[in-house]
Amino acid sequence: MRFFVIFAMLAISVVARAAAATAPIDRPCRPEYVVPYTEQCTFGYRGIEKDRSPANLQNAFGACDRAQSVSVACVKSPTRQVHVVALNALYTAVSAQSEIAMFAGQYAIAESLLREKLTVIEAVGREAQPGDKGLESARASTQRDLADTLAGQCTWKALSTAGQQQQLVRSRRYGDLSTLLKKKADDYGACARLAATPQHRAYVQYLRSVALEEGGRAAQAAGRRDDANRLYRTCLDDTVRATPDAAPTVKGELGIVTTLCRGRMTGRYRVDQPEPIDADDGKHFKPLAVPTG
């Protein structure tokens, strides 16, 4: 997941530029383009499973953007067959684009696309048989994804304090650093409540437990032992709560955080063990790895 975070940050401008083109364009309907463009979108979407580079992400998003544009142009076609094919193609393109945006951590863009997807689902529903279970399933899964985009936006906002944290570490203002990290942990707690699935919620709770451990370590470095122990105890409570629902890789990292919080609270680890909090040369202090999942 650490790779995912770095990758997503690199991809921000890539996806944002591509997303600017998602607005429907007033152009003539070209029925002969609908299926080929949709196939290109599907091919590009599948390709990101093997190639996660920003360039490939941009290409996949762009292919789906072209498919969406030509589909929008043909949805209102008076020819029934063209209309149906275009509506299905539009659903495919918007679904793929929203997933690519979520994959890149572009949650605001994904939210916009998912709201558009709900509009497409409603349009399909007006022409489907009443009580269509497939539509109900699609609507429910889209609503879950939409909730996850809100949790994702919340999480990115909490992550944005990284630069401020580094400044406090460099200036050895550990008391202020602990206060900032406690607030960050509280923010993660609010984000976790927005998550639509237990696994996603567990992952955000993992991020919260990391902030609590680091906040406790900062309080300990500032000589505020009671504050440090309160943060460590909360950290332990959180890891117990998150572990049952966590993905396997996240469970492993939760185990590491548990060991650290317990070790620091009992005195097994000093504030500078296993690595010092105030080493900022990029060699000695290494924050916990963020896992995939």
Side-chain angles (χ1 to χ4, degrees):
M1 190 65 181
R2 170 181 256 180
F3 170 80
F4 170 85
V5 170
I6 294 172
F7 167 71
M9 291 174 69
L10 290 173
I12 284 176
S13 59
V14 172
V15 177
R17 286 196 301 271
T22 59
I25 300 173
D26 186 15
R27 61 177 63 177
C29 169
R30 298 182 182 273
E32 66 275 16
Y33 288 177
V34 175
V35 172
Y37 275 28
T38 303
E39 290 175 345
Q40 290 176 22
C41 168
T42 302
F43 180 80
Y45 169 71
R46 290 174 178 168
I48 65 174
E49 289 297 320
K50 295 180 180 179
D51 180 359
R52 302 181 179 185
S53 66
N56 198 50
L57 191 75
Q58 180 184 19
N59 290 336
F61 197 94
C64 293
D65 183 68
R66 290 189 293 275
Q68 182 186 163
S69 294
V70 71
S71 299
V72 167
C74 289
V75 161
K76 294 184 179 180
S77 171
T79 304
R80 175 66 181 172
Q81 184 178 5
V82 174
H83 164 75
V84 171
V85 170
L87 191 58
N88 288 334
L90 180 59
Y91 179 83
T92 298
V94 174
S95 297
Q97 281 184 297
S98 64
E99 290 194 34
I100 293 169
M102 288 181 71
F103 177 81
Q106 297 301 302
Y107 296 108
I109 294 171
E111 179 191 357
S112 177
L113 287 163
L114 286 166
R115 293 193 186 283
E116 184 177 347
K117 183 177 175 180
L118 285 173
T119 301
V120 176
I121 290 172
E122 293 308 314
V124 173
R126 287 193 291 270
E127 302 179 21
Q129 294 293 328
D132 188 308
K133 292 184 178 180
L135 277 173
E136 289 301 319
S137 176
R139 189 178 290 109
S141 66
T142 303
Q143 291 286 7
R144 287 194 296 270
D145 288 343
L146 190 57
D148 278 340
T149 66
L150 299 178
Q153 290 178 66
C154 179
T155 302
W156 273 112
K157 185 177 179 181
L159 280 168
S160 67
T161 60
Q164 188 178 356
Q165 289 174 224
Q166 291 175 358
Q167 290 177 357
L168 293 174
V169 169
R170 292 191 186 100
S171 61
R172 298 174 183 266
R173 293 166 55 192
Y174 299 132
D176 291 339
L177 177 61
S178 179
T179 299
L180 175 66
L181 287 165
K182 183 182 181 303
K183 181 183 182 304
K184 186 174 183 178
D186 291 342
D187 290 343
Y188 279 137
C191 296
R193 289 190 287 274
L194 295 174
T197 63
Q199 191 173 88
H200 187 181
R201 191 175 306 114
Y203 172 69
V204 182
Q205 286 175 332
Y206 159 75
L207 296 178
R208 171 177 158 83
S209 71
V210 172
L212 289 167
E213 189 276 331
E214 293 182 340
R217 202 186 325 173
Q220 196 173 343
R224 290 161 32 186
R225 185 70 209 195
D226 289 344
D227 288 345
N229 282 341
R230 276 193 288 272
L231 291 168
Y232 292 144
R233 278 193 292 270
T234 304
C235 166
L236 292 172
D237 290 342
D238 275 22
T239 57
V240 169
R241 184 162 48 248
T243 297
D245 295 323
T249 50
V250 178
K251 283 184 180 179
E253 296 296 329
L254 282 165
I256 294 173
V257 181
T258 299
T259 299
L260 288 172
C261 287
R262 183 178 293 116
R264 297 194 192 288
M265 192 166 65
T266 62
R268 179 182 177 186
Y269 294 141
R270 298 193 310 272
V271 66
D272 60 345
Q273 292 178 324
E275 288 145 345
I277 192 171
D278 58 342
D280 59 1
D281 60 3
K283 296 179 181 179
H284 300 295
F285 176 64
K286 183 179 180 182
L288 290 170
V290 181
T292 302

